[in-house]
Each structure stands twice: as C-alpha cells, then as structure tokens.
Amino acid sequence: MKGGYETRTHVSEVPLLWHLCVSPGSLQKVPSYWLQVQELVTVQEGLCVLVPCAFHSEASRNRSTLAHGYWYKKKENSKIDQKTDDLVATNNPDKEVKMKNKRHFLLLGDPQAANCSLSISGVQKAHSGRYYFRLEKGTVKYNYRSNLLTLIVTGLTQTPDIHIREPLQSGHLSHVTCSMPGACDWPMAPNISWAGAALRALRSGLEPSTASEIQLTPNPQDHGTHLTCRVTFPEAGVSSERTVQLSVSYAPQNLTIILEVIQNGTSLPVLEGQSLRLVCVAHSHPPARLSWTWGPQTLSPEWPSDPGVLELPWVQTEHEGEFTCHARSPLGAQHISLSLSVHYPPRLLGPSCSWEARALRCSCSSRAWPAPSLHWRLGEGLLEGNSSNASLRVTSSSTGPWANSSLSLHEGVSSGLRLSCEAQNAHGTQSATVLLLPGALLGTLGAAGGAALLFCTCVVGVCVPHDPTGPAGGSDRKASWSDSPTRDPTPEATLTWGEGPELQELHYASLSFLELRPRQPEEQAATSRTEYAEINLCK
C-alpha cells in the first residue's frame, strides 16, 4: 500500500520500544503467548501511521482454524473489557465496527499468519489513547493486555514537498508534483490546491487544482514568481502549505543600452571632449554573457566584473560609428546597436587671399558637426551666402561636415581694410580676419596691388594672430607673403608673441619689417627701412 510506505518513513519520531509478553511458567520454556508492538507511537494530526505488530499463541500452529484479530481502544482508568471498550478494527465480518472508527483504522495484518499490524489514517486528536490486541482462534480467546500501544497525536507541522521533474525553461512543458510526507492516499487522501502566477496557462486565473501533479509551460515573466501547494485534511480540519520560488531559464530579451553623458546630460549626440558611459542591460536566466563591438572590432572589457559597461573618458571624432552590445546565453543570443554621432565646434581653414587681375580673391573653409554656416564680413558689414554685384561676388557650398566659401572683391579695396571669414554652429564660433596693412613703401593698391596682408584668428571671441605658413602657437614665429605675383620673394617679417600683464588672456603681436625692397629705384634713397611700432590685433 503506497500510503503505508509513506507512513513507515514518517513514524520514526521516537525510538521503537517493543513489548514482549511471556506467559507464567518456566523461563526455560518457549512462551505460549507473546506480542511484539511499538510501545509508543507519535503521529501528527491528519497524517497516517502503520504500526507493525506480530504475535504468537498456542493455537498458532493450527492453520486449519480461522483466526480473528481485534484492536480495541481502552477506556481511561478502567480495566480491559472488550464488552465496554471501543472496537476500532477487526477482520471478523460478523463483528460490527462503528463507522467513525472504520474510516480511520484498519487491521492490515493477517491474524492467520500471526500478523496484527494496524494502519491508522487521517489521525485526529480524539484518537489519542491506549490500544490492545485480542485474538480469537477456535477455543483460544486471548487479550494481550500486557502489550498496550500508546498513540499520541500532535499538531500538524509537516509541510508538503514540491518536486519539479524537469528544469523550468521558457516555452517548455514541465511536470510539477505536490506530496505530503506521512499522508495516506487511501482512504483519507487530503485535498490539494495550487496557487501562483505561473498557473494562468493551466487554468483561468488562480483557481485551485485538486490534482497532485500539474503541468506548467512557464514564460520569462514567471521567473522569480511563487508557486504554492496547499494540503488540507477536511476531517481533521487542519492544513499545511509550501511555497517555492520558480527559477525559469530563458534566452536574452529586452536588451537595452542606457546612455549616460557625464558632462552634458543624458542624450545623444555627444559633444567632442565629453565622457560617455554606455550601460548594456539584458534580462535573462541564467545571466547572459555581455560583450561590446565597435564596428568590426571586438572591445575587451576593462572591467571584467561588469562587462556590460563601456566608458569613453574623452570622446573624439574618431569614435563615431556603430557600437553593438551582444548578449549570449546557452538558450540564445541577442544584440542591440547604437550609432554614435560626435558633435564639435567649427574648425576654420583659411581664409587664404591673393591678388588676381586687379581683384582680391579669398577662400575659406570650415569643418564642424552639425555642419557650420559660413559667411564673410567686410569691415562691420555682413555678406550674405551667395551674392553678386559689380563690386563683389560670394560663392558658398556645403557637403557633409564641410562648408566652403569664396569671395572676389573688385572695388573698395584700400589700406586698413578688415575682411573676416566666420564659421558657426550650435557648439561654437570661429573667425579669421585678413587685415590690409598701410605701407608707404608697399604702395597703394594699383597695378601691382602691393598691400601687405596680416591674418588673425578668433575662436569663440578670443583672438590670436594667425601665421598662414604654419600651425598657430609658439613664440618667435615667421610669416611671409608676396606683394605681387610678378615680384621677387618678399622680405621676412618677424612675429613676436607675448602676453601683456594689462591684457591678461588677450594675445598681441608686435611686427617690424626688415630690409624691405622698394618698388621703384628712386624710392630707395628716400626710404630704406620702415618700422611699425606695436600693432594690437582683434580688439
């Protein structure tokens, strides 16, 4: 009997004390009547118990005579008397047992084989007491009054066992069983009910199921939820339950990248020079293995303990491209990409100016992202994008991050003229100025067109002189230019860079011309050297 097997594993709560009854007489003789049974049995309310029992009598060898066995519950503070004691179990069909006892007690052993084992199911508190066995076989009628069984019924503390046969995996069927150690399957089987979010596919809602085994097909959202099995013993009026947390395996899903721009908010695009932190999050069980790629290049994580985090301490334009987070697990893989766009302020190239056919021709280019707007200023006046008239012509174009513009000035060119190229986008402004220096020996703009040009660059309002022959910065730089396309190479001018205490961050330059070559021979005697004192630029 399955219930009996479960009961045998449960009853070992106390040491087994066996009674052995010896009939009066010599100890050297084999006793005529003896019985082996547990002296004390403790069982929890609602559960079942099997009490092993064996006996011997003078009539044991007589197999032709039918043997009947009886279990009685002895009344308290009274002598053993089967006429007044409560009969709970017997194999004699002619002996009536009260229904309240018949539902719980069963003489499981065969008295014909000297077996008096007793099964008790659905134990209740009222069953506590002392029990004895009686044998009737032919003329033999014997009460084993010296071998009493004491039954103690305690409160129910046993909890059910929940067994998940197959590992829970999203989309796959799994069998789940609930059993109560010490409970009988018959005739007092308990009621079983289930509760949990994962049962939505099993039934419409969280209705209980009386089956001891259910089938689940979990989803990823069932991971971490709870499943409860409740066991109820109706006649005893007691119940017990166990709750387990489900561990559902599922492939990576809901892959996201959390963007953190440390210096300027939390949104793309990213400004050049900022720090960027990309956090990749994947929902999966077991946890997915995360990695990053940048275009075709695999990025080795600097922090192996948190490979989902990718940091760019100093964003540069070279970092533009596609960053992809990969999540891999034994159940599948997923990836997500973002395209990084690096924004930066304008970088000005030029202006570059030359005299051509009695006109001053200048070109200017700038690179920035977003693409810059590029325009010219003549003195304080602003020249629009593409414009043309009798005195000037402006031609502008834009391709990707580049903006290009050219200016051709036919009239209004004179000494002291200030011509500026200005580039601007949302992240900054940069401008450069061409200044036509007044020069007696250099002459005025005429057939030769020989005014000197001096360049100055202004970035976001801070102006520095610009050397068209090399990169800005440094001290004791040199600049050269041609006063006419047909003239010999011009003398050199020395630029001395410095920072005056009264100017603080405003840079200035002093400029002097050495051994200038005159335009006409007759001018050589009158002027062999012209010096300009200090010239402050871009005020």
Side-chain angles (χ1 to χ4, degrees):
M1 175 178 175
K2 183 177 180 181
Y5 173 77
E6 293 179 347
T7 328
R8 286 196 295 269
T9 62
H10 174 70
V11 176
S12 58
E13 298 187 18
V14 295
L16 302 183
L17 303 177
W18 293 87
H19 279 298
L20 177 61
C21 178
V22 181
S23 62
S26 174
L27 294 178
Q28 297 179 354
K29 298 181 180 179
V30 177
S32 300
Y33 296 93
W34 55 261
L35 185 141
Q36 289 180 328
V37 71
Q38 291 176 236
E39 178 183 356
L40 179 65
V41 172
T42 302
V43 61
Q44 295 181 23
E45 190 175 13
L47 301 183
C48 298
V49 63
L50 173 63
V51 183
C53 177
F55 67 92
H56 178 77
S57 70
E58 291 182 346
S60 296
R61 295 182 180 180
N62 186 0
R63 297 183 178 276
S64 61
T65 305
L66 187 64
H68 292 123
Y70 306 85
W71 277 101
Y72 286 90
K73 182 180 181 184
K74 179 181 175 296
K75 290 186 177 181
E76 295 182 4
N77 302 322
S78 64
K79 295 181 178 181
I80 291 177
D81 185 356
Q82 64 270 15
K83 295 181 180 179
T84 58
D85 291 338
D86 194 10
L87 177 63
V88 297
T90 182
N91 68 328
N92 187 352
D94 297 329
K95 198 72 172 180
E96 183 179 358
V97 180
K98 294 179 181 180
M99 182 58 64
K100 66 175 184 178
N101 294 328
K102 187 181 293 186
R103 290 174 56 84
H104 298 276
F105 294 87
L106 176 65
L107 179 55
L108 192 63
D110 182 8
Q112 196 71 23
N115 190 329
C116 51
S117 297
L118 177 66
S119 173
I120 310 174
S121 61
V123 177
Q124 299 180 9
K125 288 288 184 69
H127 295 156
S128 295
R130 306 182 74 185
Y131 295 81
Y132 64 90
F133 180 72
R134 174 180 174 82
L135 173 68
E136 292 183 358
K137 187 174 183 179
T139 59
V140 176
K141 297 181 180 180
Y142 189 82
N143 294 324
Y144 291 86
R145 63 183 64 200
S146 298
N147 303 83
L148 298 182
L149 163 68
T150 301
L151 179 66
I152 298 177
V153 181
T154 62
L156 180 63
T157 59
Q158 180 68 48
T159 57
D161 289 338
I162 297 179
H163 175 66
I164 302 176
R165 189 182 306 173
E166 302 88 2
L168 295 179
Q169 184 175 339
S170 177
H172 292 258
L173 184 66
S174 183
H175 297 78
V176 183
T177 59
C178 178
S179 60
M180 185 69 167
C184 293
D185 291 338
W186 181 89
M188 304 295 294
N191 294 333
I192 295 178
S193 60
W194 297 86
L199 300 177
R200 63 185 174 280
L202 181 67
R203 285 176 166 248
S204 56
L206 304 181
E207 300 177 10
S209 169
T210 57
S212 60
E213 179 178 303
I214 59 174
Q215 296 179 349
L216 291 182
T217 305
N219 294 327
Q221 54 266 36
D222 295 326
H223 177 66
T225 63
H226 294 88
L227 179 66
T228 299
C229 172
R230 185 177 183 87
V231 176
T232 303
F233 300 91
E235 292 199 12
V238 294
S239 63
S240 179
E241 67 180 33
R242 179 182 291 273
T243 299
V244 295
Q245 189 175 35
L246 301 183
S247 177
V248 181
S249 300
Y250 57 94
Q253 63 171 14
N254 300 330
L255 195 61
T256 57
I257 296 178
I258 302 174
L259 179 63
E260 299 179 14
V261 183
I262 297 175
Q263 296 181 359
N264 191 28
T266 58
S267 62
L268 284 177
V270 182
L271 187 61
E272 183 182 33
Q274 289 184 328
S275 295
L276 180 64
R277 190 169 187 260
L278 301 177
V279 181
C280 186
V281 178
H283 300 279
S284 66
H285 184 74
R289 182 179 180 181
L290 300 176
S291 62
W292 285 93
T293 58
W294 178 27
Q297 180 182 358
T298 299
L299 303 178
S300 299
E302 186 175 350
W303 304 271
S305 59
D306 195 2
V309 177
L310 178 64
E311 291 192 354
L312 301 177
W314 185 269
V315 175
Q316 303 178 31
T317 55
E318 293 81 2
H319 292 147
E320 283 193 337
E322 188 174 74
F323 287 83
T324 303
C325 175
H326 301 268
R328 298 179 179 87
S329 79
L331 302 179
Q334 196 176 39
H335 69 274
I336 185 173
S337 301
L338 65 83
S339 182
L340 185 63
S341 175
V342 180
H343 283 202
Y344 52 94
R347 299 168 182 171
L348 201 60
L349 280 76
S352 174
C353 296
S354 63
W355 302 107
E356 297 181 10
R358 305 177 63 87
L360 179 63
R361 301 184 186 277
C362 299
S363 62
C364 186
S365 298
S366 177
R367 178 177 179 174
W369 192 256
S373 61
L374 194 62
H375 55 263
W376 296 88
R377 289 186 181 274
L378 188 58
E380 299 299 329
L382 177 65
L383 305 181
E384 298 299 334
N386 287 319
S387 58
S388 178
N389 55 38
S391 61
L392 61 85
R393 183 176 71 252
V394 177
T395 304
S396 300
S397 62
S398 180
T399 303
W402 284 97
N404 306 288
S405 184
S406 61
L407 170 66
S408 180
L409 190 59
H410 303 278
E411 298 179 2
V413 180
S414 61
S415 298
L417 177 66
R418 183 186 298 266
L419 182 62
S420 301
C421 176
E422 184 175 286
Q424 182 179 16
N425 72 358
H427 304 297
T429 301
Q430 187 179 43
S431 65
T433 299
V434 179
L435 179 63
L436 275 69
L437 296 177
L441 291 182
L442 295 178
T444 60
L445 181 61
L453 306 178
L454 182 62
F455 297 88
C456 173
T457 302
C458 181
V459 183
V460 198
V462 179
C463 300
V464 295
H466 171 61
D467 178 0
T469 65
S475 62
D476 197 21
R477 296 298 184 95
K478 294 184 178 181
S480 64
W481 55 81
S482 295
D483 60 344
S484 172
T486 60
R487 307 260 321 161
D488 295 332
T490 61
E492 294 183 343
T494 300
L495 291 175
T496 304
W497 297 73
E499 183 175 325
E502 73 282 359
L503 297 176
Q504 297 181 354
E505 294 186 358
L506 180 62
H507 290 79
Y508 70 94
S510 61
L511 177 65
S512 61
F513 297 93
L514 307 176
E515 299 181 359
L516 294 176
R517 185 173 300 170
R519 295 175 182 270
Q520 300 297 335
E522 61 271 16
E523 296 176 348
Q524 183 173 5
T527 306
S528 61
R529 179 185 179 95
T530 299
E531 292 186 359
Y532 289 88
E534 189 172 292
I535 301 176
N536 292 328
L537 304 177
C538 300
K539 291 183 178 179

